[in-house]
Amino acid sequence: MTFSFDKQIERRNTRAVKWDLVKALYGSEDVLPMWVADMDFEVPPAVKDALTERAKHGVFGYTFTDNALQDTITDWLEYKHDWKVKSASIQYSPGVIATLHMAIQTFTEKGDKVLIQTPVYPPFYEIVKSHDRELVKSQLIVKENKYEIDFEDFESKLQQGVRAFILCNPHNPVGRVWTQAELEKIVALCKKYHVLILADEIHADLVYQPNKHIPIAKIDEDMEDQIITCMSPTKTFNLAGLQVSYAIVPDKQKRDALEKTFHKQGMHILNTMGITALDAAYNSGREWLEHLIGQLQTNIDYVDNAFANHPKVNVFRPEGTYLIWLDFRELELSQDELKEFLQKEAKVGLNDGASFGEEGSGFMRMNIACPLEIVKEGTTRIIDALKK
C-alpha cells in the first residue's frame, strides 16, 4: 500500500494547540508553527477507520482493557524492539508525563533528589519541582557536533544521594538515541548507587538507521525491577489528543504501589477512543510507520542540507524523534532577541531552547513532522531572514 505524506491538512479551527494558538503565542497569525510535538499527517488509514466505526456505534460508556489489548502491546514491543514483556507488567495511563508524576509521588519522598540530563523536555523540571523534590542536573556535553553523556559528572551527581533518575531516550530535544554501551554505563551506575530509573521512551519507534532503540530495561535482568519504562503510540501514530499510554513495571510490588497512586488521583480508566486507536495502530500500522520514517528522513535531510551553507545556524541531526535542535549561538543574540528575530523577521514559530533549561540558551527546536513543502517554507523563511 502507498501512503501520501504531502497532503496539507487544514488544522485551524479544530482547537489545535499547534495552529490555533499561533497568534496568542507568537503575536501574529502569519507565523508558521513548527513547534509543539505532534504531526500534521493523517493517522494510518486503519486507525481512522477503526475510530470512525467506533464513533458510528454511538455509545461511549466506560471501557475496559483486556487480555487482547495486552497481547497487542506485547506483540508490538517484540516486533519493534525485540523485547519480550510479560503482559502482567503493563500499567495503563493517560500519558507518559502523568506516569512520571505518579512514579515520583510513589517512589520518592519530599526533599529526595531526582536527576535529569539537560537540556531536556520542559515537563521534566516540573515533575520534580511540583512534588517538592530536589532537582539535580547532569549536563550533556557536545563532542564533534554530537551530544554525549558526561559520565564523570553523572556519577558524581548519583553519589549525592539521588533516589531516582529520569531518562529520556530517544532524547528530546537533542535527538540522541543512546547506544548499548551508553545504556550499560547508565544501568551499572544506577545499580551501584541503588537509583530507580524512570525511562521516558515515548519516541522509541521513531529512530533512523543505522541507529537502534534499545529499551533500557533489556540491559541487565538484575536491574529490571528497578526500571519503569514509559511508552505510548501517541508520538508514533499522531494520537496525542487521545491520551493513551502505558508503563512496563516488571516488579509486582512497584506495580501495585503505582496503581494505588493512580487510583488515589482518580486516574484508573482509559479513554475509549484511545484504546481503539492503540489497538488499530499496533495491529495494522506497521507499513504506514515504515513509510513515515522515510518521509521524516527526507525532511531531516532537507533541513540539514539547507543550512549547510549558512554557518550561523548549526543543525544537530537527530538520530531519533521528528525534532531538530538548531544552534543559533553564532548570531550572538540574546535569547529574547533570537525569539523576536524568528517570530518577527523569519515568521516561524519554534520552541524556545531556553525552555529546555539554561543549557538551551541560543538554541531553538524545530518540528519537521509535516509535509515537505511546509518544511521547505519554514526553512526558507529562516534563511531569507538571515540574509537580510
Side-chain angles (χ1 to χ4, degrees), residues 6-176:
D6 56 8
K7 180 181 178 182
Q8 295 191 30
I9 300 168
E10 179 57 73
R11 295 185 63 191
R12 294 180 180 87
N13 300 315
T14 63
R15 297 191 176 94
V17 169
K18 183 177 181 181
W19 288 87
D20 286 329
L21 294 183
V22 167
K23 186 173 183 180
L25 293 172
Y26 297 105
S28 175
E29 293 283 4
D30 59 355
V31 171
L32 182 66
M34 302 184 75
W35 63 294
V36 68
D38 67 12
M39 296 190 275
D40 288 331
F41 302 129
E42 275 191 339
V43 298
V47 174
K48 192 173 181 179
D49 291 345
L51 291 171
T52 300
E53 286 303 309
R54 187 65 185 84
K56 286 180 179 177
H57 182 263
V59 180
F60 309 104
Y62 296 116
T63 306
F64 68 93
T65 56
D66 56 12
N67 292 338
L69 193 67
Q70 290 178 327
D71 291 343
T72 293
I73 292 172
T74 57
D75 287 349
W76 177 262
L77 295 178
E78 185 170 4
Y79 154 73
K80 194 70 178 139
H81 306 294
D82 193 27
W83 187 20
K84 294 184 179 180
V85 170
K86 295 179 180 178
S87 58
S89 67
I90 297 172
Q91 167 72 55
Y92 295 103
S93 166
V96 165
I97 294 304
T99 303
L100 292 174
H101 273 284
M102 297 300 174
I104 289 297
Q105 291 182 57
T106 305
F107 304 114
T108 66
E109 303 290 338
K110 287 185 178 181
D112 281 351
K113 295 179 179 179
V114 179
L115 178 66
I116 63 175
Q117 293 173 309
T118 59
V120 75
Y121 185 45
F124 279 26
Y125 295 88
E126 182 65 19
I127 288 167
V128 179
K129 293 179 178 179
S130 65
H131 301 292
D132 298 319
R133 275 55 170 173
E134 182 179 339
L135 181 69
V136 180
K137 300 191 297 181
S138 180
Q139 183 175 343
L140 300 173
I141 55 177
V142 178
K143 290 185 179 180
E144 298 179 356
N145 207 45
K146 182 177 180 178
Y147 278 86
E148 295 185 1
I149 297 169
D150 183 343
F151 279 104
E152 183 177 342
D153 179 72
F154 185 78
E155 182 170 12
S156 73
K157 297 299 170 57
L158 294 181
Q159 289 172 338
Q160 297 175 10
V162 166
R163 286 289 305 279
F165 162 54
I166 307 177
L167 171 72
C168 192
N169 184 34
H171 193 280
N172 175 11
V174 307
R176 276 300 315 278

Side-chain angles (χ1 to χ4, degrees), residues 116-370:
I116 63 175
Q117 293 173 309
T118 59
V120 75
Y121 185 45
F124 279 26
Y125 295 88
E126 182 65 19
I127 288 167
V128 179
K129 293 179 178 179
S130 65
H131 301 292
D132 298 319
R133 275 55 170 173
E134 182 179 339
L135 181 69
V136 180
K137 300 191 297 181
S138 180
Q139 183 175 343
L140 300 173
I141 55 177
V142 178
K143 290 185 179 180
E144 298 179 356
N145 207 45
K146 182 177 180 178
Y147 278 86
E148 295 185 1
I149 297 169
D150 183 343
F151 279 104
E152 183 177 342
D153 179 72
F154 185 78
E155 182 170 12
S156 73
K157 297 299 170 57
L158 294 181
Q159 289 172 338
Q160 297 175 10
V162 166
R163 286 289 305 279
F165 162 54
I166 307 177
L167 171 72
C168 192
N169 184 34
H171 193 280
N172 175 11
V174 307
R176 276 300 315 278
V177 175
W178 304 119
T179 64
Q180 175 90 16
E182 288 168 322
L183 293 172
E184 287 175 353
K185 287 183 181 180
I186 289 172
V187 169
L189 288 170
C190 288
K191 185 176 183 178
K192 180 179 179 179
Y193 295 103
H194 310 289
V195 175
L196 175 69
I197 299 174
L198 305 175
D200 175 354
E201 300 189 7
I202 197 170
H203 289 100
D205 303 327
L206 300 170
V207 172
Y208 311 106
Q209 293 292 340
N211 307 287
K212 179 176 175 58
H213 177 80
I214 303 169
I216 194 169
K218 288 179 60 179
I219 297 296
D220 184 347
E221 289 185 2
D222 292 338
M223 266 293 282
E224 185 182 54
D225 289 346
Q226 282 297 105
I227 299 173
I228 294 173
T229 307
C230 303
M231 307 184 92
S232 173
T234 53
K235 298 300 181 187
T236 310
F237 296 102
N238 203 24
L239 307 172
L242 295 182
Q243 298 184 322
V244 58
S245 78
Y246 54 91
I248 306 302
V249 192
D251 181 66
K252 186 179 185 305
Q253 186 175 357
K254 285 186 174 61
R255 193 165 61 249
D256 290 345
L258 185 60
E259 185 174 1
K260 185 177 179 179
T261 303
F262 269 100
H263 276 262
K264 282 183 178 179
Q265 301 296 332
M267 299 170 65
H268 57 274
I269 191 168
L270 283 184
N271 180 318
T272 299
M273 290 304 200
I275 293 172
T276 302
L278 183 154
D279 193 38
Y282 279 175
N283 279 311
S284 304
R286 297 181 182 186
E287 187 180 1
W288 180 90
L289 178 57
E290 291 176 4
H291 285 79
L292 170 69
I293 294 292
Q295 182 62 57
L296 295 176
Q297 186 73 68
T298 296
N299 292 0
I300 292 168
D301 289 343
Y302 181 85
V303 174
D304 200 9
N305 293 332
F307 284 118
N309 296 320
H310 296 273
K312 295 294 185 181
V313 182
N314 183 38
V315 176
F316 282 85
R317 188 182 182 92
E319 298 170 345
T321 81
Y322 47 72
L323 307 164
I324 298 183
W325 194 231
L326 298 175
D327 182 357
F328 290 91
R329 288 177 295 177
E330 286 295 321
L331 293 178
E332 298 183 348
L333 299 175
S334 70
Q335 195 66 15
D336 286 340
E337 289 171 337
L338 175 59
K339 290 190 293 183
E340 184 173 0
F341 166 75
L342 290 167
Q343 292 173 25
K344 295 185 178 180
E345 301 298 327
K347 297 290 186 180
V348 176
L350 307 180
N351 283 100
D352 179 5
S355 69
F356 299 87
E358 59 186 356
E359 301 85 354
S361 183
F363 293 80
M364 302 295 281
R365 191 189 74 174
M366 173 187 278
N367 176 357
I368 54 83
C370 52

